[in-house]
């Protein structure tokens, strides 16, 4: 495994990310205490900020794994600072996923960090780099649902509980979608190193449209229903009821 050296400034956490964390903390406190006159506003800001934090950690996981797999250019690109503005497509990585959450409560994956794959040797390393992002969503989902499956909800305010449930739904849906073996998504990146050169060349032209393909499928009512049935089943297994996520979504969309 290649050991990469980076300057300390390349690893310093960005003030942008610290600001997002601060918004998450303040709005989480407002949701917990009922400080806001309109609890839906506090829930909206808390869930959105926490969702952006998870997106940053998702991309950071890709970058950090790539760094230790051989791509020593990661640090100079700013990917280790957790600054979402440093991503290859800030619009795809942050803005669009937030819009998808607002529109339909779906944790749709965003853009990606640019990794110089030619510097990385070994198929397992390539697969691990792609898997690192959605595995971060899995970890985030476990953290959000911990109070539910640990039966530690006594004393937790209802609005905060509903917000956590909806945030968990976003993480579970993001993990499932990211692991789909669709060109352009992380799931495809996991299996691609193991495919023949011919297959990869045939699929390559379709990679830019993978995300649009997934969105089009989810627009179909029957597929959308099956997808959310799967998400709900996973959440129920983690102790989160459909009532919790539904009410959390209703609070999130405070303007409706």
């Amino acid at each position: 495994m290649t050991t990469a050296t980076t300057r300390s400034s390349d690893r310093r956490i960005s003030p942008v990310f610290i600001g997002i964390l601060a918004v998450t903390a303040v709005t989480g406190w407002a949701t917990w205490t009922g400080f806001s006159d309109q609890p839906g506003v506090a829930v909206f800001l808390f869930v959105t900020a926490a969702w952006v934090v998870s997106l940053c950690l998702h991309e950071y996981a890709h970058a950090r794994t790539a760094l230790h797999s051989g791509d020593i250019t990661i640090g100079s690109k700013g990917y280790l600072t957790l600054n979402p503005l440093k991503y290859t497509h800030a619009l795809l990585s942050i803005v669009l996923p937030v819009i998808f959450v607002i529109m339909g409560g779906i944790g749709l994956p965003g853009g990606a960090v640019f990794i110089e794959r030619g510097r990385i040797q070994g198929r397992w390393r390539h697969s691990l780099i792609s898997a690192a992002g959605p595995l971060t969503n899995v970890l985030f989902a476990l953290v959000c649902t911990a109070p539910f499956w640990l039966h530690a909800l006594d004393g937790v305010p209802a609005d905060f509980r509903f917000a956590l449930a909806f945030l968990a739904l976003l993480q579970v849906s993001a993990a499932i979608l990211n692991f789909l073996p669709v060109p352009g998504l992380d799931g495809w990146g996991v299996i691609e190193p193991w495919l023949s050169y011919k297959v990869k060349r045939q699929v390559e032209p379709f990679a830019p449209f993978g995300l649009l393909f997934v969105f089009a499928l989810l627009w179909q009512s029957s597929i959308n229903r099956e997808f959310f049935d799967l998400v709900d089943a996973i959440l129920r297994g983690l102790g989160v009821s459909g009532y919790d996520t539904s009410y959390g979504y209703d609070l999130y969309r405070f303007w409706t």
Side-chain angles (χ1 to χ4, degrees), residues 116-185:
E116 297 188 17
R117 294 278 183 169
R119 294 176 176 269
I120 300 166
Q121 302 298 318
R123 291 181 292 184
W124 280 108
R125 291 179 181 177
H126 284 281
S127 294
L128 184 58
I129 290 168
S130 295
L135 286 175
T136 302
N137 292 113
V138 172
L139 179 60
F140 212 108
L142 290 174
V143 171
C144 290
T145 58
F148 295 87
W149 50 265
L150 289 175
H151 306 289
L153 289 168
D154 290 343
V156 175
D159 288 347
F160 191 83
R161 167 181 174 159
F162 298 142
L164 275 184
F166 179 56
L167 184 57
L169 180 147
L170 298 180
Q171 300 303 324
V172 171
S173 62
I176 294 173
L177 292 173
N178 269 292
F179 271 128
L180 290 177
V182 175
L185 299 184

Side-chain angles (χ1 to χ4, degrees), residues 5-27:
T5 57
T6 57
R7 297 172 300 176
S8 59
S9 59
D10 293 337
R11 301 190 301 269
R12 188 175 299 129
I13 296 178
S14 164
V16 175
F17 182 74
I18 293 174
I20 298 170
L21 278 179
V23 172
T24 305
V26 170
T27 54

Side-chain angles (χ1 to χ4, degrees), residues 184-205:
L185 299 184
D186 292 331
W188 178 257
V190 173
I191 66 172
E192 184 181 24
W194 307 88
L195 300 176
S196 68
Y197 177 76
K198 180 180 178 180
V199 171
K200 288 189 283 189
R201 285 298 303 268
Q202 290 176 335
V203 173
E204 185 177 3

Side-chain angles (χ1 to χ4, degrees), residues 169 172 227-237 240-242 245:
L169 180 147
V172 171
F227 172 73
F228 276 106
D229 284 345
L230 174 61
V231 173
D232 288 341
I234 293 173
L235 288 172
R236 284 196 303 271
V240 183
S241 70
T245 55

Side-chain angles (χ1 to χ4, degrees), residues 2-12 56-83 86-88 112-120 125-126 129-130 132:
T2 302
T3 300
T5 57
T6 57
R7 297 172 300 176
S8 59
S9 59
D10 293 337
R11 301 190 301 269
R12 188 175 299 129
C56 293
L57 292 175
H58 175 113
E59 301 300 346
Y60 177 84
H62 285 309
R64 192 77 190 189
T65 308
L67 173 69
H68 293 290
S69 297
D71 185 358
I72 60 175
T73 69
I74 287 294
S76 62
K77 294 170 184 172
Y79 297 155
L80 302 179
T81 65
L82 290 160
N83 184 353
K86 294 292 185 179
Y87 298 151
T88 306
V113 296
F114 176 70
I115 296 169
E116 297 188 17
R117 294 278 183 169
R119 294 176 176 269
I120 300 166
R125 291 179 181 177
H126 284 281
I129 290 168
S130 295

